[in-house]
Amino acid sequence: MNLFNSARYIVLWLMLCPWCVKAAAPGGDWPMFRGGPALTGVAAGQLPDRLALLWTFKTTGPVKSSPAIVQDRVFIGSDDGNIYALRLADGTKVWAYKTGEGVESSPLILDGNVFVGSSDAFLYALEAGTGKLVWKYETGDKILGAPNWIKAGAKTLVLVGSYDNKLHCVDAATGRSNWVYETSNYINGSPAVANDQTAFGGCDGLLHVVSLADGKQIKEVEAGAYIAASVALADERAYFGQYENQFLCIDLKEGKKAWTFQDRNFPYFSSPAVTKEVVVFGGRDKLLHCVKRENGQPLWSFPTRGKVDSSPVVCGNQVVVGSDDGRLYVVSLDQGKERWSYEIGQPIGSSPAVARGRVVVGSDDGNVYCFGEK
């Protein structure tokens, strides 16, 4: 086959199989919870100075799931038990797949498939283009956190935590178990992945650091209280909040706290966004906090009128986050000043997805909202 024909073949293949791409595909996608395997919550590109509501899509239950955006599709779950694929352009439904119970888990889009957990205790793999079931893997209890992924030689593996107290590692192609790591209580969040290890917390009050090669424990670090949110990983440090009103930075090499932030006596359920200089996270104190990444020194806090369980996303010099006060906010990263807000009217526990100049988020009112430049 000559070079010209080879190029034609590649173009044709991409046209026929647009979903056969990796999770880290270029082009401004947001293929999973927090944007990538380290769960740092930082989006590429810039957002318009002013956002406008472009479309809404109505489900029949609260939308606590956080969306994924890949190419021209939005993927999101709902408490009505469905996983939806919507057109990014106008919010029209492409397909829906019904699970046995509500879907709070956020989808992972990888190699042409959608991986997502359900409160029915199953991890599902669906074809991204059609919504057809590829396989489903049963855990012992509900799955609320988002799946993550790793590459292990020729295999791609999917990681997901469950309320059966276990972290499951599953072959992405077949749905067969690769290994299982057991803790002593519920696992709420998504496991973060970096440097051949995964880090996550749960209701046992421990930060677990586990080898991706064999599922064996590397370290466990006492967090002081249960961990409801996901951990973010950057440069051998783990960042997360816990229920006893502290936000922690753990040195993973040393297995001990590098710093602790504590402001008021309210828990942290929001997963952090981590840039090179700062860490941004919401609290049940109705504040969005920004601290120095190096030492946890507070830089600013932004007040809302409700708890902030939604996890913020940093895009350029802007931070996007929802609040239980029913508003979606855009705040300046450097000063913590409000740049824009939109009143939905019902709590926003879903975390925004930011890609291709758009912001997509769910709300307890049962709608999915998309904002961008009009």
Side-chain angles (χ1 to χ4, degrees), residues 265-344:
N265 291 329
F266 290 89
Y268 296 103
F269 275 61
S270 169
S271 301
V274 180
T275 75
K276 290 181 179 179
E277 293 84 22
V278 301
V279 182
V280 185
F281 51 93
R284 291 200 160 175
D285 55 4
K286 304 180 182 180
L287 296 172
L288 181 68
H289 297 275
C290 180
V291 303
K292 286 187 177 180
R293 177 173 146 179
E294 180 184 4
N295 55 22
Q297 178 183 336
L299 296 173
W300 53 258
S301 60
F302 172 78
T304 75
R305 297 178 182 86
K307 63 185 181 181
V308 185
D309 286 353
S310 175
S311 301
V313 172
V314 172
C315 183
N317 187 42
Q318 303 188 85
V319 184
V320 187
V321 71
S323 169
D324 265 28
D325 67 9
R327 285 184 174 271
L328 182 71
Y329 292 93
V330 176
V331 177
S332 63
L333 180 62
D334 55 351
Q335 296 182 321
K337 302 296 184 184
E338 182 177 327
R339 288 188 166 183
W340 174 89
S341 68
Y342 183 90
E343 185 170 3
I344 288 172

Side-chain angles (χ1 to χ4, degrees), residues 242 245-249 257-262 295-297:
Q242 43 93 303
N245 319 320
Q246 292 183 337
F247 188 90
L248 306 175
C249 172
K257 295 177 186 176
W259 53 258
T260 301
F261 171 87
Q262 186 165 6
N295 55 22
Q297 178 183 336

Side-chain angles (χ1 to χ4, degrees), residues 69-297:
I69 302 172
V70 174
Q71 298 183 32
D72 60 347
R73 296 286 187 267
V74 173
F75 301 88
I76 195 165
S78 169
D79 278 10
D80 67 11
N82 282 296
I83 302 151
Y84 292 97
L86 312 174
R87 288 189 176 87
L88 179 60
D90 56 15
T92 54
K93 183 174 73 175
V94 179
W95 55 257
Y97 181 90
K98 181 74 171 176
T99 74
E101 292 188 35
V103 181
E104 291 189 24
S105 172
S106 302
L108 161 68
I109 318 304
L110 178 68
D111 292 342
N113 288 331
V114 180
F115 301 92
V116 65
S118 170
S119 291
D120 67 6
F122 282 95
L123 172 68
Y124 290 85
L126 310 172
E127 289 183 357
T130 66
K132 180 182 177 182
L133 179 67
V134 179
W135 53 255
K136 61 180 184 177
Y137 170 89
E138 188 172 13
T139 72
D141 208 331
K142 61 186 176 182
I143 301 171
L144 300 186
N148 206 331
W149 68 284
I150 56 172
K151 196 75 175 174
K155 286 187 176 182
T156 300
L157 304 173
V158 176
L159 302 169
V160 71
S162 170
Y163 266 47
D164 66 1
N165 309 341
K166 297 172 183 176
L167 181 72
H168 298 263
C169 178
V170 178
D171 189 304
T174 64
R176 297 192 184 97
S177 177
N178 190 55
W179 52 255
V180 175
Y181 175 86
E182 187 163 5
T183 73
S184 60
N185 214 318
Y186 303 148
I187 300 173
N188 298 289
S190 175
V193 169
N195 300 322
D196 300 319
Q197 58 191 27
T198 182
F200 64 95
C203 290
D204 58 6
L206 298 171
L207 176 70
H208 298 270
V209 185
V210 176
S211 167
L212 292 172
D214 54 13
K216 303 297 184 184
Q217 182 187 99
I218 297 173
K219 288 185 177 72
E220 63 177 29
V221 183
E222 177 63 53
Y226 78 72
I227 303 164
S230 301
V231 174
L233 297 178
D235 297 330
E236 301 286 347
R237 287 186 167 189
Y239 303 85
F240 61 94
Q242 43 93 303
Y243 197 71
E244 291 295 335
N245 319 320
Q246 292 183 337
F247 188 90
L248 306 175
C249 172
I250 302 295
D251 185 311
L252 294 177
K253 286 185 177 179
E254 299 293 329
K256 62 184 182 182
K257 295 177 186 176
W259 53 258
T260 301
F261 171 87
Q262 186 165 6
D263 184 21
R264 299 191 289 173
N265 291 329
F266 290 89
Y268 296 103
F269 275 61
S270 169
S271 301
V274 180
T275 75
K276 290 181 179 179
E277 293 84 22
V278 301
V279 182
V280 185
F281 51 93
R284 291 200 160 175
D285 55 4
K286 304 180 182 180
L287 296 172
L288 181 68
H289 297 275
C290 180
V291 303
K292 286 187 177 180
R293 177 173 146 179
E294 180 184 4
N295 55 22
Q297 178 183 336

Side-chain angles (χ1 to χ4, degrees), residues 12-97:
L12 179 62
W13 180 83
L14 288 171
M15 289 173 65
L16 293 174
C17 188
W19 300 105
C20 296
V21 293
K22 297 294 183 182
D29 289 339
W30 189 265
M32 60 178 293
F33 183 63
R34 313 305 290 139
L39 307 184
T40 53
V42 178
Q46 301 287 333
L47 284 172
D49 290 335
R50 302 288 296 178
L51 295 171
L53 179 64
L54 300 181
W55 54 259
T56 63
F57 175 82
K58 180 68 175 176
T59 78
T60 57
V63 182
K64 301 180 185 298
S65 172
S66 301
I69 302 172
V70 174
Q71 298 183 32
D72 60 347
R73 296 286 187 267
V74 173
F75 301 88
I76 195 165
S78 169
D79 278 10
D80 67 11
N82 282 296
I83 302 151
Y84 292 97
L86 312 174
R87 288 189 176 87
L88 179 60
D90 56 15
T92 54
K93 183 174 73 175
V94 179
W95 55 257
Y97 181 90

